[in-house]
Every structure is written in C-alpha cells, then in structure tokens.
Amino acid sequence: MAVHEHPHRSPGFHLSAAFRWNRTGSGSQSAVSARLGTHTAQAYALASLRILTGFVFLWAFLDKTFGLGYATASGKGWIDGGSPTKGFLSSVAAGPMESTFHSWAGDTWANWLFMLGLLGIGLAVMSGVALWPAAVAGTAMMALMWIAEWPPAKHLSNGAPSMSTNPFTDYHVIYALALIAVAAAGATWGLGRPWARLPIVRDHTWLH
C-alpha cells in the first residue's frame, strides 16, 4: 500500500508547490509594479516641480522686461526704460545690507546681472539643462533677496512692524531648496539627456 500511495501523494505535492510558487510570483510582480508606479509618480512630481519652479523665474523676467501688468506695471518694463532692481532694492528697510542694497538700486550692472540670472535660470530649469549651475545661481539670488527682506527682523529700521511671519523660512528658502532638489533628481522630461551627451558636459560633470 505504501508503494501505491506514494505516487498519489507526489502529484499533490507538486501541485501545492506550483500553487505556492504562483502565489509568490504574483506577489513579487505586484511588489515590482507598486515600486515602478511609485517611482513613476515621484518622477512626474519632480518634473512638474522643476518646470513650475523654472517658470517662476522665467515669468519674473518676462514681466519685468515687458511690463505685463503683474509685478511690473504696463509701460514701466525694462524695455520702456524702467529699472528691474531700483524699486525693490531702494525699498529695503531692514537687515545688515540695507545701505549696500540702496547703493546698488538701479545700477546698470545690477539690472543686467539680475535679469540675465532670471532668464538663464528660468530657461535652464524649465528645459532641464545645466541644472546644477542654475541651482547654484538661483540659490545665490534667493539668498540675496532673503537678506534684502530680512525675515528675522520684527521691526524695520524706522521702527514700524516688519510683518514678518517667520524668522527664517520664507518663499526664497523654498525656491532655493526646490532648485537643489530638481538638480539632484535630474531632468525626467526635457533636454537633460541630449545635454548630458554633449562632449563638454561629459568632460565637466558640474554642467549637468
């Protein structure tokens, strides 16, 4: 009987093992699909963050250049003879560089450096090229603007309340961190891959 019973048990064993294998395989496939889905969602989120952050800089350039009626009134754009730095820098009323910013306000070099920075950072970040140079330049620009607004101050130099809502973190810090994050992540959409294949970029990785 034992000899005859053994063949009957063997098929059952193989079927059970196959069933367990199928269940394990299905679980593995589900886990892989879940990981791929999470990775894809993260990639899309970072790409969206990159494009929108770049657009913030590019739009600022366009508005200040052409006076589109948002932060810069119509007829007061850079092409109309207006200064993109005079209004902001001359209104600095707190912080350790208040007098320095006043002396820079409206200077030709300051206007050109600021506007070229906005344009270059905006185009680079939106297109996904030269993300690290753009992140460094953008972080430096945001740091200077943070110092100009000086969130730690509770009162302005004339004694009026500064209306600061946070002594450290404001939108300048968030923009700087966004630039660093998208540079570290690389460009999911855009011209990042063709840019990385250029000989000069392959030889100088800091241009990525």
Side-chain angles (χ1 to χ4, degrees):
M1 291 294 295
V3 173
H4 293 291
E5 288 175 359
H6 181 71
H8 293 290
R9 288 197 302 269
S10 179
F13 172 79
H14 288 299
L15 287 173
S16 176
F19 179 67
R20 288 197 300 271
W21 172 260
N22 287 336
R23 287 194 303 171
T24 304
S26 298
S28 300
Q29 290 176 356
S30 298
V32 171
S33 298
R35 286 196 296 270
L36 289 175
T38 300
H39 177 74
T40 301
Q42 290 174 344
Y44 287 164
L46 285 169
S48 300
L49 176 64
R50 174 177 59 79
I51 293 169
L52 291 174
T53 301
F55 185 67
V56 168
F57 287 86
L58 183 60
W59 177 260
F61 169 81
L62 295 173
D63 185 53
K64 292 178 184 300
T65 299
F66 301 106
L68 300 179
Y70 287 85
T72 306
S74 179
K76 294 187 177 181
W78 197 21
I79 62 171
D80 300 310
S83 170
T85 63
K86 186 174 183 179
F88 176 68
L89 293 181
S90 62
S91 66
V92 173
M97 294 183 63
E98 179 180 351
S99 59
T100 301
F101 286 132
H102 289 173
S103 68
W104 292 354
D107 283 356
T108 301
W109 69 268
N111 290 337
W112 276 95
L113 189 61
F114 179 57
M115 295 299 282
L116 289 177
L118 290 177
L119 177 62
I121 295 166
L123 291 177
V125 174
M126 286 194 72
S127 62
V129 305
L131 291 178
W132 278 116
V136 171
T139 299
M141 180 183 290
M142 292 299 101
L144 286 171
M145 295 179 73
W146 185 91
I147 295 172
E149 294 196 6
W150 200 245
K154 294 182 179 179
H155 296 87
L156 304 179
S157 55
N158 63 3
S162 68
M163 306 303 292
S164 175
T165 60
N166 190 294
F168 175 71
T169 303
D170 69 351
Y171 64 98
H172 298 107
V173 177
I174 302 301
Y175 286 157
L177 289 178
L179 288 170
I180 294 170
V182 298
T188 301
W189 300 329
L191 303 177
R193 290 183 179 178
W195 172 261
R197 289 196 292 266
L198 294 176
I200 189 172
V201 179
R202 288 201 305 266
D203 296 338
H204 301 85
T205 55
W206 60 271
L207 288 173
H208 281 212

